[in-house]
PDB file of all heavy atoms in Angstrom:
ATOM      1  N   ALA A  59      -8.723   8.972  -9.516  1.00 77.00           N
ATOM      2  CA  ALA A  59      -8.114   9.687 -10.685  1.00 77.00           C
ATOM      3  C   ALA A  59      -7.478   8.741 -11.619  1.00 77.00           C
ATOM      4  O   ALA A  59      -7.568   8.877 -12.798  1.00 77.00           O
ATOM      5  CB  ALA A  59      -7.110  10.759 -10.150  1.00 77.00           C
ATOM      6  N   LEU A  60      -6.796   7.769 -11.047  1.00 75.00           N
ATOM      7  CA  LEU A  60      -6.084   6.771 -11.915  1.00 75.00           C
ATOM      8  C   LEU A  60      -7.113   5.910 -12.635  1.00 75.00           C
ATOM      9  O   LEU A  60      -6.815   5.512 -13.794  1.00 75.00           O
ATOM     10  CB  LEU A  60      -5.167   5.872 -11.047  1.00 75.00           C
ATOM     11  CG  LEU A  60      -3.898   6.543 -10.460  1.00 75.00           C
ATOM     12  CD1 LEU A  60      -3.201   5.623  -9.509  1.00 75.00           C
ATOM     13  CD2 LEU A  60      -2.965   6.914 -11.590  1.00 75.00           C
ATOM     14  N   THR A  61      -8.238   5.640 -12.036  1.00 70.00           N
ATOM     15  CA  THR A  61      -9.199   4.780 -12.625  1.00 70.00           C
ATOM     16  C   THR A  61      -9.720   5.445 -13.899  1.00 70.00           C
ATOM     17  O   THR A  61     -10.069   4.784 -14.880  1.00 70.00           O
ATOM     18  CB  THR A  61     -10.398   4.484 -11.679  1.00 70.00           C
ATOM     19  OG1 THR A  61      -9.867   3.832 -10.508  1.00 70.00           O
ATOM     20  CG2 THR A  61     -11.431   3.607 -12.280  1.00 70.00           C
ATOM     21  N   LEU A  62      -9.844   6.773 -13.870  1.00 70.00           N
ATOM     22  CA  LEU A  62     -10.379   7.500 -15.024  1.00 70.00           C
ATOM     23  C   LEU A  62      -9.487   7.354 -16.231  1.00 70.00           C
ATOM     24  O   LEU A  62      -9.971   7.521 -17.412  1.00 70.00           O
ATOM     25  CB  LEU A  62     -10.535   9.027 -14.704  1.00 70.00           C
ATOM     26  CG  LEU A  62     -11.553   9.342 -13.642  1.00 70.00           C
ATOM     27  CD1 LEU A  62     -11.568  10.826 -13.254  1.00 70.00           C
ATOM     28  CD2 LEU A  62     -12.945   8.959 -14.109  1.00 70.00           C
ATOM     29  N   VAL A  63      -8.190   7.096 -16.051  1.00 72.00           N
ATOM     30  CA  VAL A  63      -7.247   6.956 -17.159  1.00 72.00           C
ATOM     31  C   VAL A  63      -6.712   5.553 -17.271  1.00 72.00           C
ATOM     32  O   VAL A  63      -5.625   5.342 -17.892  1.00 72.00           O
ATOM     33  CB  VAL A  63      -6.160   8.005 -17.022  1.00 72.00           C
ATOM     34  CG1 VAL A  63      -6.619   9.424 -17.195  1.00 72.00           C
ATOM     35  CG2 VAL A  63      -5.361   7.820 -15.676  1.00 72.00           C
ATOM     36  N   VAL A  64      -7.423   4.561 -16.806  1.00 65.00           N
ATOM     37  CA  VAL A  64      -6.875   3.209 -16.736  1.00 65.00           C
ATOM     38  C   VAL A  64      -6.601   2.662 -18.137  1.00 65.00           C
ATOM     39  O   VAL A  64      -5.631   1.961 -18.362  1.00 65.00           O
ATOM     40  CB  VAL A  64      -7.866   2.204 -16.012  1.00 65.00           C
ATOM     41  CG1 VAL A  64      -9.219   2.148 -16.744  1.00 65.00           C
ATOM     42  CG2 VAL A  64      -7.270   0.892 -15.785  1.00 65.00           C
ATOM     43  N   VAL A  65      -7.459   2.973 -19.142  1.00 58.00           N
ATOM     44  CA  VAL A  65      -7.182   2.481 -20.463  1.00 58.00           C
ATOM     45  C   VAL A  65      -5.921   3.099 -21.049  1.00 58.00           C
ATOM     46  O   VAL A  65      -5.070   2.430 -21.679  1.00 58.00           O
ATOM     47  CB  VAL A  65      -8.381   2.877 -21.419  1.00 58.00           C
ATOM     48  CG1 VAL A  65      -8.045   2.433 -22.814  1.00 58.00           C
ATOM     49  CG2 VAL A  65      -9.665   2.214 -20.908  1.00 58.00           C
ATOM     50  N   TRP A  66      -5.684   4.403 -20.714  1.00 71.00           N
ATOM     51  CA  TRP A  66      -4.413   5.030 -21.237  1.00 71.00           C
ATOM     52  C   TRP A  66      -3.209   4.400 -20.454  1.00 71.00           C
ATOM     53  O   TRP A  66      -2.145   4.204 -21.079  1.00 71.00           O
ATOM     54  CB  TRP A  66      -4.509   6.525 -20.974  1.00 71.00           C
ATOM     55  CG  TRP A  66      -3.340   7.261 -21.372  1.00 71.00           C
ATOM     56  CD1 TRP A  66      -2.876   7.535 -22.644  1.00 71.00           C
ATOM     57  CD2 TRP A  66      -2.361   7.921 -20.473  1.00 71.00           C
ATOM     58  NE1 TRP A  66      -1.763   8.289 -22.596  1.00 71.00           N
ATOM     59  CE2 TRP A  66      -1.385   8.512 -21.341  1.00 71.00           C
ATOM     60  CE3 TRP A  66      -2.239   7.989 -19.113  1.00 71.00           C
ATOM     61  CZ2 TRP A  66      -0.296   9.281 -20.817  1.00 71.00           C
ATOM     62  CZ3 TRP A  66      -1.162   8.711 -18.576  1.00 71.00           C
ATOM     63  CH2 TRP A  66      -0.211   9.290 -19.349  1.00 71.00           C
ATOM     64  N   LEU A  67      -3.377   4.129 -19.175  1.00 68.00           N
ATOM     65  CA  LEU A  67      -2.267   3.578 -18.425  1.00 68.00           C
ATOM     66  C   LEU A  67      -1.881   2.232 -18.980  1.00 68.00           C
ATOM     67  O   LEU A  67      -0.648   1.904 -18.967  1.00 68.00           O
ATOM     68  CB  LEU A  67      -2.733   3.384 -16.935  1.00 68.00           C
ATOM     69  CG  LEU A  67      -2.923   4.564 -16.164  1.00 68.00           C
ATOM     70  CD1 LEU A  67      -3.456   4.280 -14.724  1.00 68.00           C
ATOM     71  CD2 LEU A  67      -1.597   5.391 -15.961  1.00 68.00           C
ATOM     72  N   LEU A  68      -2.740   1.437 -19.513  1.00 62.00           N
ATOM     73  CA  LEU A  68      -2.465   0.133 -20.057  1.00 62.00           C
ATOM     74  C   LEU A  68      -1.519   0.209 -21.186  1.00 62.00           C
ATOM     75  O   LEU A  68      -0.775  -0.784 -21.535  1.00 62.00           O
ATOM     76  CB  LEU A  68      -3.752  -0.617 -20.428  1.00 62.00           C
ATOM     77  CG  LEU A  68      -4.583  -1.182 -19.365  1.00 62.00           C
ATOM     78  CD1 LEU A  68      -5.907  -1.617 -19.902  1.00 62.00           C
ATOM     79  CD2 LEU A  68      -3.923  -2.326 -18.652  1.00 62.00           C
ATOM     80  N   LYS A  69      -1.434   1.392 -21.882  1.00 68.00           N
ATOM     81  CA  LYS A  69      -0.624   1.532 -23.058  1.00 68.00           C
ATOM     82  C   LYS A  69       0.815   2.007 -22.709  1.00 68.00           C
ATOM     83  O   LYS A  69       1.647   1.988 -23.641  1.00 68.00           O
ATOM     84  CB  LYS A  69      -1.274   2.541 -23.958  1.00 68.00           C
ATOM     85  CG  LYS A  69      -2.625   2.135 -24.511  1.00 68.00           C
ATOM     86  CD  LYS A  69      -3.246   3.194 -25.407  1.00 68.00           C
ATOM     87  CE  LYS A  69      -4.663   2.821 -25.849  1.00 68.00           C
ATOM     88  NZ  LYS A  69      -5.252   3.788 -26.708  1.00 68.00           N
ATOM     89  N   ILE A  70       1.091   2.296 -21.510  1.00 77.00           N
ATOM     90  CA  ILE A  70       2.438   2.801 -21.135  1.00 77.00           C
ATOM     91  C   ILE A  70       3.355   1.596 -20.787  1.00 77.00           C
ATOM     92  O   ILE A  70       3.114   0.900 -19.820  1.00 77.00           O
ATOM     93  CB  ILE A  70       2.359   3.730 -19.904  1.00 77.00           C
ATOM     94  CG1 ILE A  70       1.370   4.895 -20.210  1.00 77.00           C
ATOM     95  CG2 ILE A  70       3.747   4.242 -19.535  1.00 77.00           C
ATOM     96  CD1 ILE A  70       1.226   5.842 -18.998  1.00 77.00           C
ATOM     97  N   PRO A  71       4.387   1.375 -21.654  1.00 79.00           N
ATOM     98  CA  PRO A  71       5.256   0.260 -21.355  1.00 79.00           C
ATOM     99  C   PRO A  71       6.140   0.510 -20.155  1.00 79.00           C
ATOM    100  O   PRO A  71       6.618   1.644 -19.945  1.00 79.00           O
ATOM    101  CB  PRO A  71       6.077   0.169 -22.655  1.00 79.00           C
ATOM    102  CG  PRO A  71       6.052   1.570 -23.235  1.00 79.00           C
ATOM    103  CD  PRO A  71       4.735   2.077 -22.870  1.00 79.00           C
ATOM    104  N   GLY A  72       6.319  -0.476 -19.365  1.00 84.00           N
ATOM    105  CA  GLY A  72       7.171  -0.327 -18.190  1.00 84.00           C
ATOM    106  C   GLY A  72       6.584   0.348 -16.989  1.00 84.00           C
ATOM    107  O   GLY A  72       7.286   0.610 -16.029  1.00 84.00           O
ATOM    108  N   LEU A  73       5.369   0.645 -16.993  1.00 81.00           N
ATOM    109  CA  LEU A  73       4.657   1.416 -15.941  1.00 81.00           C
ATOM    110  C   LEU A  73       4.734   0.648 -14.640  1.00 81.00           C
ATOM    111  O   LEU A  73       5.061   1.226 -13.585  1.00 81.00           O
ATOM    112  CB  LEU A  73       3.187   1.776 -16.319  1.00 81.00           C
ATOM    113  CG  LEU A  73       2.474   2.664 -15.294  1.00 81.00           C
ATOM    114  CD1 LEU A  73       3.101   4.029 -15.250  1.00 81.00           C
ATOM    115  CD2 LEU A  73       1.013   2.785 -15.660  1.00 81.00           C
ATOM    116  N   LEU A  74       4.316  -0.650 -14.649  1.00 81.00           N
ATOM    117  CA  LEU A  74       4.358  -1.402 -13.395  1.00 81.00           C
ATOM    118  C   LEU A  74       5.804  -1.595 -12.917  1.00 81.00           C
ATOM    119  O   LEU A  74       6.062  -1.615 -11.719  1.00 81.00           O
ATOM    120  CB  LEU A  74       3.730  -2.770 -13.649  1.00 81.00           C
ATOM    121  CG  LEU A  74       2.206  -2.776 -13.812  1.00 81.00           C
ATOM    122  CD1 LEU A  74       1.726  -4.191 -14.136  1.00 81.00           C
ATOM    123  CD2 LEU A  74       1.503  -2.239 -12.587  1.00 81.00           C
ATOM    124  N   LEU A  75       6.734  -1.779 -13.801  1.00 87.00           N
ATOM    125  CA  LEU A  75       8.105  -1.894 -13.442  1.00 87.00           C
ATOM    126  C   LEU A  75       8.627  -0.677 -12.716  1.00 87.00           C
ATOM    127  O   LEU A  75       9.258  -0.838 -11.646  1.00 87.00           O
ATOM    128  CB  LEU A  75       8.957  -2.136 -14.735  1.00 87.00           C
ATOM    129  CG  LEU A  75      10.493  -2.371 -14.554  1.00 87.00           C
ATOM    130  CD1 LEU A  75      10.772  -3.620 -13.740  1.00 87.00           C
ATOM    131  CD2 LEU A  75      11.184  -2.359 -15.897  1.00 87.00           C
ATOM    132  N   VAL A  76       8.418   0.495 -13.293  1.00 85.00           N
ATOM    133  CA  VAL A  76       8.869   1.730 -12.626  1.00 85.00           C
ATOM    134  C   VAL A  76       8.125   1.962 -11.306  1.00 85.00           C
ATOM    135  O   VAL A  76       8.718   2.317 -10.296  1.00 85.00           O
ATOM    136  CB  VAL A  76       8.688   2.960 -13.536  1.00 85.00           C
ATOM    137  CG1 VAL A  76       8.988   4.280 -12.842  1.00 85.00           C
ATOM    138  CG2 VAL A  76       9.540   2.756 -14.808  1.00 85.00           C
ATOM    139  N   GLY A  77       6.766   1.776 -11.330  1.00 83.00           N
ATOM    140  CA  GLY A  77       6.007   1.933 -10.081  1.00 83.00           C
ATOM    141  C   GLY A  77       6.466   1.035  -8.893  1.00 83.00           C
ATOM    142  O   GLY A  77       6.594   1.439  -7.797  1.00 83.00           O
ATOM    143  N   GLY A  78       6.683  -0.210  -9.317  1.00 85.00           N
ATOM    144  CA  GLY A  78       7.178  -1.198  -8.280  1.00 85.00           C
ATOM    145  C   GLY A  78       8.528  -0.840  -7.772  1.00 85.00           C
ATOM    146  O   GLY A  78       8.808  -0.959  -6.535  1.00 85.00           O
ATOM    147  N   ALA A  79       9.467  -0.434  -8.674  1.00 89.00           N
ATOM    148  CA  ALA A  79      10.770  -0.045  -8.224  1.00 89.00           C
ATOM    149  C   ALA A  79      10.759   1.184  -7.319  1.00 89.00           C
ATOM    150  O   ALA A  79      11.524   1.256  -6.307  1.00 89.00           O
ATOM    151  CB  ALA A  79      11.684   0.209  -9.488  1.00 89.00           C
ATOM    152  N   LEU A  80       9.874   2.162  -7.600  1.00 85.00           N
ATOM    153  CA  LEU A  80       9.790   3.314  -6.760  1.00 85.00           C
ATOM    154  C   LEU A  80       9.097   3.066  -5.367  1.00 85.00           C
ATOM    155  O   LEU A  80       9.332   3.767  -4.418  1.00 85.00           O
ATOM    156  CB  LEU A  80       8.976   4.392  -7.481  1.00 85.00           C
ATOM    157  CG  LEU A  80       9.638   5.004  -8.680  1.00 85.00           C
ATOM    158  CD1 LEU A  80       8.743   6.030  -9.446  1.00 85.00           C
ATOM    159  CD2 LEU A  80      10.947   5.738  -8.298  1.00 85.00           C
ATOM    160  N   LEU A  81       8.278   1.980  -5.378  1.00 84.00           N
ATOM    161  CA  LEU A  81       7.614   1.660  -4.090  1.00 84.00           C
ATOM    162  C   LEU A  81       8.598   1.001  -3.059  1.00 84.00           C
ATOM    163  O   LEU A  81       8.364   1.178  -1.822  1.00 84.00           O
ATOM    164  CB  LEU A  81       6.506   0.624  -4.376  1.00 84.00           C
ATOM    165  CG  LEU A  81       5.593   0.310  -3.203  1.00 84.00           C
ATOM    166  CD1 LEU A  81       4.901   1.550  -2.703  1.00 84.00           C
ATOM    167  CD2 LEU A  81       4.507  -0.728  -3.634  1.00 84.00           C
ATOM    168  N   LEU A  82       9.702   0.416  -3.566  1.00 90.00           N
ATOM    169  CA  LEU A  82      10.655  -0.230  -2.656  1.00 90.00           C
ATOM    170  C   LEU A  82      11.343   0.709  -1.697  1.00 90.00           C
ATOM    171  O   LEU A  82      11.435   0.492  -0.499  1.00 90.00           O
ATOM    172  CB  LEU A  82      11.652  -1.064  -3.457  1.00 90.00           C
ATOM    173  CG  LEU A  82      11.110  -2.187  -4.269  1.00 90.00           C
ATOM    174  CD1 LEU A  82      12.217  -2.971  -5.001  1.00 90.00           C
ATOM    175  CD2 LEU A  82      10.281  -3.159  -3.352  1.00 90.00           C
ATOM    176  N   PRO A  83      11.877   1.902  -2.113  1.00 88.00           N
ATOM    177  CA  PRO A  83      12.391   2.826  -1.193  1.00 88.00           C
ATOM    178  C   PRO A  83      11.446   3.438  -0.188  1.00 88.00           C
ATOM    179  O   PRO A  83      11.790   3.775   0.951  1.00 88.00           O
ATOM    180  CB  PRO A  83      13.057   3.964  -2.033  1.00 88.00           C
ATOM    181  CG  PRO A  83      12.373   3.757  -3.423  1.00 88.00           C
ATOM    182  CD  PRO A  83      12.117   2.374  -3.503  1.00 88.00           C
ATOM    183  N   ILE A  84      10.093   3.482  -0.605  1.00 84.00           N
ATOM    184  CA  ILE A  84       9.184   3.958   0.349  1.00 84.00           C
ATOM    185  C   ILE A  84       8.952   2.917   1.414  1.00 84.00           C
ATOM    186  O   ILE A  84       8.799   3.223   2.634  1.00 84.00           O
ATOM    187  CB  ILE A  84       7.793   4.266  -0.388  1.00 84.00           C
ATOM    188  CG1 ILE A  84       8.030   5.441  -1.257  1.00 84.00           C
ATOM    189  CG2 ILE A  84       6.678   4.533   0.589  1.00 84.00           C
ATOM    190  CD1 ILE A  84       6.784   5.811  -2.108  1.00 84.00           C
ATOM    191  N   ALA A  85       8.883   1.607   0.965  1.00 86.00           N
ATOM    192  CA  ALA A  85       8.825   0.564   2.030  1.00 86.00           C
ATOM    193  C   ALA A  85      10.041   0.618   3.001  1.00 86.00           C
ATOM    194  O   ALA A  85       9.873   0.366   4.191  1.00 86.00           O
ATOM    195  CB  ALA A  85       8.760  -0.789   1.335  1.00 86.00           C
ATOM    196  N   TYR A  86      11.205   0.858   2.387  1.00 89.00           N
ATOM    197  CA  TYR A  86      12.436   0.993   3.239  1.00 89.00           C
ATOM    198  C   TYR A  86      12.303   2.109   4.238  1.00 89.00           C
ATOM    199  O   TYR A  86      12.658   2.041   5.386  1.00 89.00           O
ATOM    200  CB  TYR A  86      13.651   1.184   2.363  1.00 89.00           C
ATOM    201  CG  TYR A  86      14.938   1.312   3.125  1.00 89.00           C
ATOM    202  CD1 TYR A  86      15.572   0.158   3.622  1.00 89.00           C
ATOM    203  CD2 TYR A  86      15.501   2.554   3.481  1.00 89.00           C
ATOM    204  CE1 TYR A  86      16.780   0.216   4.303  1.00 89.00           C
ATOM    205  CE2 TYR A  86      16.626   2.588   4.180  1.00 89.00           C
ATOM    206  CZ  TYR A  86      17.299   1.482   4.572  1.00 89.00           C
ATOM    207  OH  TYR A  86      18.455   1.540   5.294  1.00 89.00           O
ATOM    208  N   LYS A  87      11.717   3.269   3.843  1.00 84.00           N
ATOM    209  CA  LYS A  87      11.586   4.410   4.668  1.00 84.00           C
ATOM    210  C   LYS A  87      10.599   4.089   5.847  1.00 84.00           C
ATOM    211  O   LYS A  87      10.845   4.519   6.980  1.00 84.00           O
ATOM    212  CB  LYS A  87      11.003   5.595   3.895  1.00 84.00           C
ATOM    213  CG  LYS A  87      10.780   6.810   4.743  1.00 84.00           C
ATOM    214  CD  LYS A  87      10.269   8.001   3.919  1.00 84.00           C
ATOM    215  CE  LYS A  87       9.974   9.201   4.735  1.00 84.00           C
ATOM    216  NZ  LYS A  87       9.434  10.312   3.922  1.00 84.00           N
ATOM    217  N   LEU A  88       9.568   3.251   5.584  1.00 82.00           N
ATOM    218  CA  LEU A  88       8.683   2.833   6.611  1.00 82.00           C
ATOM    219  C   LEU A  88       9.329   1.863   7.574  1.00 82.00           C
ATOM    220  O   LEU A  88       9.024   1.742   8.782  1.00 82.00           O
ATOM    221  CB  LEU A  88       7.383   2.308   6.020  1.00 82.00           C
ATOM    222  CG  LEU A  88       6.554   3.300   5.210  1.00 82.00           C
ATOM    223  CD1 LEU A  88       5.419   2.615   4.545  1.00 82.00           C
ATOM    224  CD2 LEU A  88       6.037   4.390   6.164  1.00 82.00           C
ATOM    225  N   ALA A  89      10.163   0.984   7.029  1.00 84.00           N
ATOM    226  CA  ALA A  89      10.848  -0.085   7.786  1.00 84.00           C
ATOM    227  C   ALA A  89      11.985   0.555   8.695  1.00 84.00           C
ATOM    228  O   ALA A  89      12.155   0.112   9.826  1.00 84.00           O
ATOM    229  CB  ALA A  89      11.425  -1.107   6.890  1.00 84.00           C
ATOM    230  N   VAL A  90      12.630   1.564   8.164  1.00 84.00           N
ATOM    231  CA  VAL A  90      13.816   2.163   8.868  1.00 84.00           C
ATOM    232  C   VAL A  90      13.499   3.568   9.198  1.00 84.00           C
ATOM    233  O   VAL A  90      13.607   4.407   8.330  1.00 84.00           O
ATOM    234  CB  VAL A  90      15.065   2.064   8.001  1.00 84.00           C
ATOM    235  CG1 VAL A  90      16.253   2.614   8.878  1.00 84.00           C
ATOM    236  CG2 VAL A  90      15.354   0.595   7.679  1.00 84.00           C
ATOM    237  N   PRO A  91      12.976   3.879  10.356  1.00 68.00           N
ATOM    238  CA  PRO A  91      12.567   5.253  10.721  1.00 68.00           C
ATOM    239  C   PRO A  91      13.737   6.160  10.809  1.00 68.00           C
ATOM    240  O   PRO A  91      14.916   5.753  10.784  1.00 68.00           O
ATOM    241  CB  PRO A  91      11.874   5.132  12.049  1.00 68.00           C
ATOM    242  CG  PRO A  91      12.494   3.908  12.655  1.00 68.00           C
ATOM    243  CD  PRO A  91      12.778   2.991  11.531  1.00 68.00           C
ATOM    244  N   SER A  92      13.507   7.448  10.964  1.00 57.00           N
ATOM    245  CA  SER A  92      14.555   8.465  11.008  1.00 57.00           C
ATOM    246  C   SER A  92      15.442   8.223  12.223  1.00 57.00           C
ATOM    247  O   SER A  92      14.960   7.736  13.243  1.00 57.00           O
ATOM    248  CB  SER A  92      14.001   9.822  11.103  1.00 57.00           C
ATOM    249  OG  SER A  92      13.130  10.133   9.931  1.00 57.00           O
ATOM    250  N   GLU A  93      16.723   8.574  12.075  1.00 44.00           N
ATOM    251  CA  GLU A  93      17.664   8.489  13.207  1.00 44.00           C
ATOM    252  C   GLU A  93      17.150   9.418  14.321  1.00 44.00           C
ATOM    253  O   GLU A  93      16.533  10.439  14.081  1.00 44.00           O
ATOM    254  CB  GLU A  93      19.065   8.876  12.784  1.00 44.00           C
ATOM    255  CG  GLU A  93      19.665   7.921  11.764  1.00 44.00           C
ATOM    256  CD  GLU A  93      19.897   6.571  12.329  1.00 44.00           C
ATOM    257  OE1 GLU A  93      20.158   6.471  13.546  1.00 44.00           O
ATOM    258  OE2 GLU A  93      19.869   5.556  11.554  1.00 44.00           O
TER     259      GLU A  93
END
Side-chain angles (χ1 to χ4, degrees):
L60 289 172
T61 302
L62 294 175
V63 294
V64 64
V65 175
W66 180 70
L67 290 175
L68 286 169
K69 299 179 181 179
I70 302 177
L73 184 65
L74 288 177
L75 180 64
V76 173
L80 291 175
L81 189 59
L82 296 181
I84 293 177
Y86 180 82
K87 180 179 178 181
L88 295 175
V90 182
S92 301
E93 294 294 332

